[in-house]
Amino acid sequence: MSKKPTLKIVGTGSFLPDTVVTNKDLEKIMDTTDEWITQRVGIKERRVIGESGLSTSDMATFAGKAAIEDAGLTAEDIDCIIVATITPDMNFPSTAIFVQQNLGAKNAAVFDVSAACTGWIYGMTIAEGLILSGKFKNILVIGAEFLTSLSDINDRSTYVLFGDASGAVVVQPADGDRGMLGSYIKSNGDLADLLWSYGGGTRVNKKVSDQEKMFDENGIDKRSTIRMEGNKVYKYAVRAMIESAEKAMEDAQITEDDIDMLIPHQANSRIIDAIAKRVNMPDDKVVRNLQYMGNTSSASIPVALDQVRKEGRLKDGDVLLVAAFGGGFTWGGLVIKM
Ligand code: COA
């Protein structure tokens, strides 16, 4: 017997930029191969903002608008907007402020959440608390990332991984047996050095003596790009994803037999294989869009959720398990009866 649901998802939306960059395109600009990327990561192509001139808030707005329409609501019905992102438009105000302005959601309180690739799960968990407190009734939770803005063309081990996208859901208080049944979020600041970007942050002051090392051999300011210890991240990622899935199911008081679909964070197909195996999910229950989207951080799960709903793969009443990990480290999972 599962727990009583807290919030329910009443609308989903997503946005992918038009420009496609294939592995073959990357072969022409850096020392990499389609074979290496396909085998080690599972990505064939990614969608990027490129020259379109869009910002993170533009993408968030498109996904948010689609989710509001899907819910049969108007922007004025939304009383809270949460944008999960690590690629904000500006240091401040929040990216959510520009989304509010673009949408005309004038009755909303808005803010950003920074939890890297787990950001949307953190956003949903915060939304759950705000719904349970009775404060808000229609919350828009968005994951939006312009990750290619952090890519360093001189670092092939990270450049090939990322894409740009946004995904959104509208949530309301649950009133029947459908909705969020379980949630789990966790962090470990001891692992902050494994995956990071200064990106204009004030912590740069603490590393004044390292200034020299902050510019690579091509003069690129490494502070503004992603740095990652891929191998170490990989090991923690697998553990964190498994823990997230197991704890979310425990919180929901269900077992893996009750799960109809798993949407894992889309970072590496080998990580997805590992978590699917551990929670006994056959391939047809595991959602993968990594191959044509790359890693889109906090957007990866809400985009996939919108896609499987619109394709009719995920139906009302199905039980969905999602799990993610990201820089910080952060990790977490949700169980949602759709
Ligand atoms: N093309 C070709 N070769 C590449 C390459 C690329 N794009 N990137 C790295 N290599 C090379 C390395 O230089 C290294 O060569 P060497 O053995 O001659 O030194 C070799 O491939 C192996 O590198 P390594 O870093 O050990 O590869 P890996 O198997 O660990 O794969 C990742 C690298 C990044 C794909 C993998 O570590 C990973 O996915 N980690 C998790 C990252 C993640 O999920 N991040 C997102 C968090 S949300």
Side-chain angles (χ1 to χ4, degrees):
M1 188 57 188
S2 67
K3 262 185 16 189
K4 233 168 125 320
T6 50
L7 54 75
K8 62 179 179 183
I9 293 176
V10 294
T12 61
S14 59
F15 172 79
L16 301 183
D18 290 334
T19 307
V20 177
V21 175
T22 65
N23 292 348
K24 291 278 173 205
D25 294 331
L26 294 180
E27 282 181 358
K28 292 177 203 143
I29 58 169
M30 60 174 43
D31 182 15
T32 191
T33 60
D34 174 42
E35 192 191 359
W36 190 94
I37 304 170
T38 306
Q39 282 179 2
R40 298 280 181 127
V41 199
I43 297 171
K44 296 299 278 184
E45 59 187 44
R46 64 285 295 140
R47 305 287 281 263
V48 304
I49 281 187
E51 303 298 310
S52 68
L54 294 175
S55 66
T56 300
S57 67
D58 292 326
M59 289 195 297
T61 303
F62 297 140
K65 189 167 185 295
I68 293 169
E69 280 169 12
D70 189 42
L73 300 172
T74 68
E76 292 186 10
D77 295 322
I78 300 298
D79 44 25
C80 180
I81 300 174
I82 303 172
V83 176
T85 187
I86 49 165
T87 47
D89 281 24
M90 300 174 23
N91 260 348
F92 78 92
S94 66
T95 302
I97 281 286
F98 299 113
V99 176
Q100 174 181 36
Q101 184 187 35
N102 292 342
L103 290 172
K106 60 184 185 194
N107 298 313
V110 314
F111 58 96
D112 288 359
V113 170
S114 173
C117 304
T118 325
W120 182 77
I121 290 176
Y122 269 67
M124 288 290 281
T125 310
I126 294 165
E128 180 181 49
L130 291 169
I131 294 258
L132 288 176
S133 75
K135 278 255 183 310
F136 300 117
K137 293 209 158 37
N138 291 307
I139 306 183
L140 181 60
V141 188
I142 304 174
E145 301 290 3
F146 183 174
L147 269 189
T148 58
S149 69
L150 301 180
S151 291
D152 177 357
I153 194 149
N154 299 304
D155 179 5
R156 65 178 178 171
S157 69
T158 56
Y159 192 87
V160 303
L161 303 178
F162 301 112
D164 305 323
S166 67
V169 299
V170 176
V171 300
Q172 292 178 343
D175 44 14
D177 69 333
R178 281 160 49 185
M180 201 146 109
L181 303 174
S183 62
Y184 175 75
I185 49 174
K186 196 83 189 286
S187 317
N188 182 356
D190 289 342
L191 304 177
D193 279 353
L194 297 187
L195 179 53
W196 51 272
S197 161
Y198 281 110
T202 56
R203 195 178 175 85
V204 71
N205 288 339
K206 296 196 189 237
K207 292 245 183 176
V208 167
S209 57
D210 287 346
Q211 283 293 339
E212 215 66 59
K213 292 182 216 145
M214 287 184 180
F215 295 88
D216 69 15
E217 61 279 13
N218 298 299
I220 299 264
D221 185 347
K222 293 199 263 180
R223 289 170 296 189
S224 58
T225 53
I226 284 190
R227 318 316 302 174
M228 180 172 73
E229 303 249 5
N231 263 315
K232 290 186 191 152
V233 168
Y234 188 95
K235 282 182 204 131
Y236 284 111
V238 172
R239 272 183 247 161
M241 291 273 270
I242 291 167
E243 179 183 315
S244 300
E246 288 177 344
K247 294 281 188 185
M249 287 191 287
E250 191 183 311
D251 188 45
Q253 295 166 15
I254 62 167
T255 69
E256 52 215 35
D257 296 338
D258 302 306
I259 303 293
D260 297 296
M261 183 173 280
L262 167 67
I263 303 183
H265 171 49
Q266 308 283 312
N268 184 310
S269 56
R270 291 181 292 143
I271 297 176
I272 296 176
D273 292 343
I275 179 184
K277 191 168 167 215
R278 180 61 180 261
V279 295
N280 291 319
M281 284 295 129
D283 228 29
D284 61 331
K285 288 189 176 182
V286 182
V287 178
R288 292 169 197 262
N289 59 15
L290 174 80
Q291 59 279 17
Y292 61 90
M293 280 185 49
N295 179 349
T296 60
S297 189
S298 67
S300 84
I301 292 175
V303 167
L305 170 58
D306 184 49
Q307 290 170 340
V308 291
R309 256 190 92 232
K310 305 267 162 79
E311 287 162 7
R313 263 178 83 188
L314 184 67
K315 299 179 194 63
D316 288 352
D318 281 352
V319 178
L320 171 69
L321 171 64
V322 309
F325 70 95
F329 253 44
T330 61
W331 62 102
L334 305 173
V335 173
I336 305 166
K337 185 166 185 181
M338 298 299 295

